[in-house]
Amino acid sequence: MKPIKQFLFFSLLLILASCGTKSEEAKYIPKSASTVLIMNAQTLREKMKKANVQLDTVLAKIFVNDSSDAKAKAVLKRVFDSAGINWDKNLFAYVQQKSSMLNGVTTQIAFSLGLSDAEKFKQVLTAEGKDSIAKAIQQKDKYSALYLNDNTVLSWNKERAFISYYRNDRPVQFDSVNMKFTLPDPKKEAEAVAASVEAIYTLDKSASMQELDAFNDMMKDPADAWLFSSSNGALASLSATPLNLPGIENLLKDNYSTNTIHFTEGKIEGISRLYPSPQMKSIFKKYAGPVVNTDMIKRFPGKIQGFSAASFNPELIGAILDELQVEELVGGFIRETGFTLQDFYQCIKGDITVAFGDIAMKPISSDTTVFNFSLPTGKLVMYAPVGNKQSFTKLMDSAVNRKWLQKKGNDYVPNELMEKIGLYIKANQDGILMASDSATAVAFMQASAKATIDPAILDQAKGKSVAFYMDISGIIGALRANATTPAYYDGLFSHVIATTDNFNGKAVEGKFEVVMNNKNENSLVAIIKLMTGFAADMRKSNKLVLRESDSIRNLDLMTQ
């Protein structure tokens, strides 16, 4: 939990500080970054002001106890008020990864905020450590740098300050001449860290986000925050592994995803766009898919607390496999079994529905009261209609011959060993069904009971290629039983829903909503309350650990 809480605390400071323009940050962000998050502080600050959320109020909730709290609060207040930081500029963070079989994986994570007075920033920075910090600051041609540890550097110029982290997970190599393993050279590692900082301030325009249309189009859309991601990071990771299919670079290279995020009354709303690579674009155009079948969702026998539905043209899988040249690699082996690659992906129609609900904590009793406890229970259904019946029958009959399945009438069911996994599975020429139990399966197939779900949720799923829904409030309420949750979290989220359209010729567009229980409060305010609570708990826990450590140390001294 500690890393999560630290991230939430940093995110809280990021939100509190946010405000800015859209033109400056692109020149500092490398085009090869796999993920970029930008906070539009102007709109966020306006919303916080409207809700009367003040820095002093937030800090007072985090730092509430002793003199150390007062000192930490004063330091943060000074940083916000008089450290030469320009809170009218956007804050952003990015992650960049590069990989190779020889050199391993290098990761750089950078956080940035704007400066109005670099000299004031340096003065506040050196105020606590005085000469020791001042002497440690390295003056470069285009920036100043202060090493926080071997991998983390605080650097700044006249415009912005960066906290950057660089790490190279280099594989240990074996020297066959001297018959020994060689460890990474610390000097070279230090040079790599320094080079990563230098690259921030010497980034060429052609290598920056200024030259990437998908990023620039995203920044044209008004939003409270922008999230950008690239498939090139995944491609870099794959290049460092033996898994390197012939056509994978053409498929993964230059696929970009953009998200614009808005904090509104009672909701966090977002619009996503996936810009596929030229190869993926041609595949999407050729094999445009159908839309989800919401009738399958309605057949769930009980209260739906979550569903995922997708509809696609199975030939899309074949086109991707062809691009990856999988047929050339494994086609001969598969044909020896009497199958083709087409048999595997054509046996389903392309409609997949998963739904679950009626979650509850069921008491488990025993002969003694010592071992009485509760376990979560619920209903689950997964259903996929059959596509090519000939391919389906061929695959199922083969599974029967190998004793993986058994055939009863027209149905294919698990063998005795597979039945022990505790799920009900049945397949026939209508479809493939997996359920939590036989009663749920029968009720689903006979449509004997109607699902309990808000019709507005199903309306949002209609006409979409993918739809996802989760009743956060209902699930947590059912699972926690008599347990309590912190007041700052209790009843915060209602549900989340996300949908995706089919390819429109340029991009795959989607929408998502995180709905809060309090419809009259701006979602930004609710998130700040959540993060403030986490930050206060994190500080309280850290202080408790320190006190326990001091107690143990004092006990050791007394017993010596």
Side-chain angles (χ1 to χ4, degrees), residues 157-458:
N157 62 9
K158 292 182 179 180
E159 293 181 339
R160 303 196 69 87
F162 287 82
I163 297 178
S164 57
Y165 171 85
Y166 179 90
R167 177 174 175 174
N168 185 0
D169 293 317
R170 191 188 303 270
V172 177
Q173 298 178 348
F174 183 72
D175 184 351
S176 58
V177 176
N178 298 309
M179 300 300 292
K180 65 178 183 180
F181 289 99
T182 58
L183 297 175
D185 184 351
K187 183 179 179 180
K188 291 184 178 179
E189 294 293 303
E191 291 173 351
V193 173
S196 71
V197 178
E198 180 79 19
I200 293 174
Y201 300 94
T202 58
L203 186 63
D204 189 80
K205 182 179 180 181
S206 61
S208 74
M209 287 293 180
Q210 294 181 93
E211 296 295 299
L212 195 58
D213 291 340
F215 181 86
N216 293 321
D217 288 345
M218 175 186 73
M219 296 303 295
K220 291 176 184 177
D221 293 332
D224 295 324
W226 299 267
L227 181 63
F228 175 90
S229 60
S230 167
S231 63
N232 294 331
L235 182 61
S237 298
L238 283 174
S239 66
T241 69
L243 179 62
N244 202 354
L245 297 173
I248 198 166
E249 183 173 354
N250 289 335
L251 280 181
L252 286 184
K253 186 178 180 181
D254 298 337
N255 292 279
Y256 302 112
S257 173
T258 67
N259 297 269
T260 53
I261 303 168
H262 303 263
F263 297 97
T264 61
E265 301 303 305
K267 291 181 182 180
I268 302 173
E269 298 178 293
I271 297 175
S272 64
R273 292 185 179 91
L274 170 64
Y275 296 93
S277 65
Q279 286 75 10
M280 287 300 297
K281 185 180 292 187
S282 63
I283 293 174
F284 284 156
K285 281 183 177 179
K286 187 174 182 180
Y287 300 105
V291 296
V292 298
N293 185 355
T294 56
D295 288 338
M296 290 294 103
I297 302 172
K298 295 176 184 177
R299 291 168 64 169
F300 181 84
K303 180 180 180 181
I304 293 182
Q305 291 171 304
F307 69 75
S308 179
S311 185
F312 59 93
N313 186 337
E315 294 298 332
L316 178 70
I317 300 175
I320 293 175
L321 293 177
D322 286 343
E323 191 71 32
L324 293 174
Q325 301 176 36
V326 171
E327 176 71 30
E328 297 179 12
L329 294 175
V330 299
F333 170 77
I334 291 177
R335 283 191 293 272
E336 288 180 3
T337 65
F339 302 111
T340 65
L341 279 175
Q342 288 80 3
D343 287 329
F344 287 94
Y345 61 79
Q346 289 181 350
C347 69
I348 59 173
K349 185 179 179 181
D351 290 324
I352 299 177
T353 302
V354 179
F356 62 89
D358 284 353
I359 295 174
M361 295 298 292
K362 181 180 180 181
I364 305 296
S365 60
S366 63
D367 294 336
T368 66
T369 58
V370 178
F371 299 105
N372 289 344
F373 58 95
S374 298
L375 289 176
T377 62
K379 296 177 181 178
L380 169 71
V381 169
M382 187 192 80
Y383 185 71
V386 167
N388 187 307
K389 290 180 171 54
Q390 183 177 354
S391 295
F392 169 79
T393 302
K394 187 191 299 185
L395 289 172
M396 292 296 104
D397 286 344
S398 176
V400 170
N401 293 333
R402 287 172 168 78
K403 308 300 182 182
W404 297 343
L405 298 174
Q406 51 185 325
K407 191 172 184 181
K408 294 182 178 180
N410 294 324
D411 297 330
Y412 297 91
V413 298
N415 58 25
E416 293 181 1
L417 180 62
M418 289 187 65
E419 285 178 346
K420 294 181 180 180
I421 65 176
L423 290 174
Y424 178 89
I425 302 174
K426 184 174 76 171
N428 53 38
Q429 292 203 347
D430 292 327
I432 303 169
L433 172 67
M434 182 174 71
S436 53
D437 55 84
S438 59
T440 300
V442 171
F444 176 83
M445 292 307 297
Q446 294 180 352
S448 58
K450 291 185 178 180
T452 302
I453 188 172
D454 185 350
I457 298 295
L458 293 180

Side-chain angles (χ1 to χ4, degrees), residues 536-554:
D537 277 358
M538 180 181 70
R539 181 164 177 79
K540 188 184 300 182
S541 298
N542 289 342
K543 291 174 71 174
L544 180 61
V545 170
L546 289 175
R547 282 198 298 269
E548 290 175 348
S549 299
D550 288 340
S551 299
I552 294 172
R553 191 180 302 110
N554 292 335

